[in-house]
Amino acid sequence: MSDGTPADLFFDAAIGLLQRVRDEEAEAIAVAGTLLADTVTAGGRLFAFGAGHSSLAAQDVVYRAGGLALMNLLAVPGLVGVDVMPATLGSRLERVDGLATAVLDTSPLRTGDALVIISLSGRNAMPVEMAIGARERGAKVIGVTSVAYATQTASRHSSGTYLKDHCDVVLDSKIAVGDAELTLDTIPAPFAPASTVVTSALLQAVLATTAATLADRGVEPPLLRSGNVDGGHEWNARVFEEYRDRIFYQH
């Protein structure tokens, strides 16, 4: 690690990654944003899924002030975060064959919907099986992953494939294998992960594109406002009522 405090170096690394995804993923972001806009205008529903820490980025776009009200969390028990006990169980569940299929079979996902699947490595059974199953059910899939894992790690799915192989659009977070940006001679392991920062930014860029695309088509984007500003709850109540059949976190 060169000159600068660890904090400075982490910010530099994160900013560098954000600049890379802004420049290198611009086309994919535009395509993904348009795909979601197409889904909204066609009457489809929007879902997001991520396991473990990847779930943080999924939750960041659900029921979020300034975000699309139609984005629903596709939750898998034990994989929504690190609240499952023990936390290591979540890592094991990601590798269980058949779990994603069971979740999809009992979810509201259907033909014409869109599903955003977030998986940093994209190598485990859960995201691969979920992407395959969602497309088999007629849904479009946007994958947010680090493509580097597909060339530097082995797939844990029986097909030998990765999340990126089963998506309509792939957004590459550019995160290095291992998800740690810094090293120090006095510390035996790399540290300071940036995947949450970058993945969340990628998704917000996509949804900003979706909102602007809808507006360009003359469709008011179904956006939520903060409940901590005057009139926010009344605004949201109107949106919830208008789109009640496409918002599942209200039920």
Side-chain angles (χ1 to χ4, degrees), residues 22-72:
R22 179 193 64 190
D23 297 339
E24 298 174 20
E25 297 301 298
E27 182 177 353
I29 289 169
V31 172
T34 301
L35 186 158
L36 294 183
D38 291 343
T39 303
V40 171
T41 54
R45 294 86 60 80
L46 309 180
F47 297 88
F49 166 78
H53 287 94
S54 289
S55 182
L56 296 174
Q59 294 179 60
D60 189 51
V61 295
V62 176
Y63 185 47
R64 183 65 190 264
L68 286 179
L70 304 191
M71 187 62 76
N72 301 278

Side-chain angles (χ1 to χ4, degrees), residues 76-120:
V76 178
L79 290 180
V80 179
V82 293
D83 56 333
V84 61
M85 295 300 289
T88 51
L89 176 61
S91 298
R92 298 288 294 272
L93 291 175
E94 285 188 73
R95 306 177 190 181
V96 174
D97 290 334
L99 182 55
T101 298
V103 169
L104 290 172
D105 285 345
T106 56
S107 79
L109 188 83
R110 66 187 184 191
T111 297
D113 293 345
L115 171 62
V116 178
I117 300 178
I118 305 153
S119 174
L120 179 61

Side-chain angles (χ1 to χ4, degrees), residues 166-181:
H166 305 284
C167 300
D168 296 279
V169 186
V170 175
L171 298 170
D172 184 1
S173 64
K174 317 294 182 181
I175 299 295
V177 173
D179 192 18
E181 294 300 318

Side-chain angles (χ1 to χ4, degrees), residues 168-247:
D168 296 279
V169 186
V170 175
L171 298 170
D172 184 1
S173 64
K174 317 294 182 181
I175 299 295
V177 173
D179 192 18
E181 294 300 318
L182 304 183
T183 58
L184 197 61
D185 292 342
T186 54
I187 299 177
F191 59 103
S195 59
T196 303
V197 173
V198 176
T199 301
S200 292
L202 264 172
L203 286 177
Q204 293 298 347
V206 169
L207 293 181
T209 302
T210 300
T213 302
L214 288 170
D216 288 343
R217 297 175 180 178
V219 177
E220 180 186 331
L223 297 170
L224 295 174
R225 290 191 172 184
S226 171
N228 296 313
V229 300
D230 292 342
H233 289 300
E234 292 77 13
W235 173 281
N236 293 342
R238 175 183 65 83
V239 175
F240 289 151
E241 176 60 25
E242 183 175 351
Y243 291 96
R244 63 185 181 278
D245 59 333
R246 296 157 77 180
I247 299 174

